[in-house]
Amino acid sequence: MAKQVILITGCSKGGIGYALAKTFAQQGNHVIATTRNIDALEGLEAYGCEKEALDINSQESINAVTQKIIDSVGQIDVLINNAGAPAVGALLDIDLDTAQQCYNTNVFGTLKLIRAVAPHMAKKGKGKIVNVGSVVGYTSTPWAGIYASSKAAVHSMSDTLRLELKPFGIEVVVVAPGAITSNFGNAGAKLVTVPEDSLYISVAKFIIARATLSQGPGSTPNEVFATHVVKRVLQPVSPRYITFGATSWIFLFLYYLPFFVKDFIFYKKFGLNLVKTNKKQD
């Protein structure tokens, strides 16, 4: 297959973006790996990756990096929207600044970059946009309502873009990772707080544990995940959805189950049956 020019966001060391950049480059592609702090891309140059600082919440940064790539190599064949922000906590408690940052990054930042890159792809009459969603975009869980809904929005947005961009020869693919070894869980854990007056203070340990739930001993190594995804993205025609990683089959299975079954499972799994309500008796 001919060398592809691939722009990837969220490539900080230790994450799946870093593994994707490395794997695409090892396949002989021209990879532009990006993240806000370029120092976090250390080591990717050894695989031939080009490194750029990119903040997907800044239109100025998006425009500058996109134009630099077009000026230097003339095209972007594949855009991997991997940059994401965590948000863990009960919906009644979660800091609204954290919630807004999650949506700004996961949804609007992704859309901003697509709007910058897609017109260049349309001029070429081809291209591929890969948006990294999540298995919780299929089935939301307690204590991750903001993050899950942002990923559900990515899935929904991608479904629309897949149709709207088809006339221009642009494919849109959703990648829905399951439990993948990365630094994302630790980033989420740093943001978790359970207020002392929370209605859920009695199950605080379940809320805190939710941040790193995907980082257990059974999680899929990010190199394995990257190999699976890269193979499918580089196919002439990619699947509409690439769902892969530990627990991913469980979320797909739950997606098709009746709500009363899902509710029963999650109610106990995430400690809601242990919430102390302190209801006043009449």
Side-chain angles (χ1 to χ4, degrees), residues 1 16 20 56 68 81 156 168 202 205 212 225 227 249 260 267 277:
M1 178 175 286
I16 64 175
L20 287 169
I56 67 169
K68 181 178 180 180
N81 280 307
S156 180
F168 306 101
S202 58
K205 67 178 183 180
T212 55
F225 172 79
T227 298
W249 69 271
F260 78 89
Y267 196 73
T277 61

Side-chain angles (χ1 to χ4, degrees), residues 90 92-95 193-204 207 275-278:
L92 293 185
D93 295 333
I94 195 164
D95 179 77
T193 57
V194 183
E196 291 184 4
D197 61 349
S198 171
L199 293 174
Y200 307 102
I201 192 67
S202 58
V203 292
I207 299 173
V275 172
K276 296 179 181 177
T277 61
N278 293 320

Side-chain angles (χ1 to χ4, degrees), residues 24 26 49 54 60 74 109 126 144 150 190 196 199 229 260:
F24 273 117
Q26 288 174 323
C49 295
L54 172 62
E60 182 181 2
K126 62 179 181 178
S150 76
K190 294 177 181 177
E196 291 184 4
L199 293 174
V229 171
F260 78 89

Side-chain angles (χ1 to χ4, degrees), residues 157-169:
M157 185 168 65
S158 300
D159 290 340
T160 296
L161 286 166
R162 186 173 62 249
L163 298 174
E164 292 182 349
L165 294 177
K166 186 175 181 179
F168 306 101

Side-chain angles (χ1 to χ4, degrees), residues 14-94:
I16 64 175
Y18 191 98
L20 287 169
K22 173 183 171 181
T23 306
F24 273 117
Q26 288 174 323
Q27 297 285 332
N29 298 287
H30 182 164
V31 175
I32 301 97
T34 71
T35 193
R36 284 181 299 175
N37 178 9
I38 200 167
D39 292 338
L41 304 174
E42 181 185 4
L44 284 176
E45 66 278 0
Y47 303 98
C49 295
E50 184 179 335
K51 302 187 296 185
E52 294 288 346
L54 172 62
D55 180 358
I56 67 169
N57 288 311
S58 165
Q59 191 66 58
E60 182 181 2
S61 178
I62 288 172
N63 293 343
V65 171
T66 302
Q67 194 59 52
K68 181 178 180 180
I69 296 169
I70 296 300
D71 290 344
S72 62
V73 296
Q75 64 196 64
I76 297 171
D77 298 304
V78 181
L79 168 63
I80 311 286
N81 280 307
N82 171 67
V88 179
L91 286 173
L92 293 185
D93 295 333
I94 195 164

Side-chain angles (χ1 to χ4, degrees), residues 171-228:
E171 288 183 65
V172 177
V173 179
V174 175
V175 173
I180 311 297
T181 302
S182 73
N183 49 17
F184 195 74
N186 291 333
K190 294 177 181 177
L191 298 174
V192 182
T193 57
V194 183
E196 291 184 4
D197 61 349
S198 171
L199 293 174
Y200 307 102
I201 192 67
S202 58
V203 292
K205 67 178 183 180
F206 287 90
I207 299 173
I208 294 168
R210 180 63 186 86
T212 55
L213 184 65
S214 65
Q215 300 305 300
S219 61
T220 300
N222 55 31
E223 295 88 353
V224 174
F225 172 79
T227 298
H228 181 90

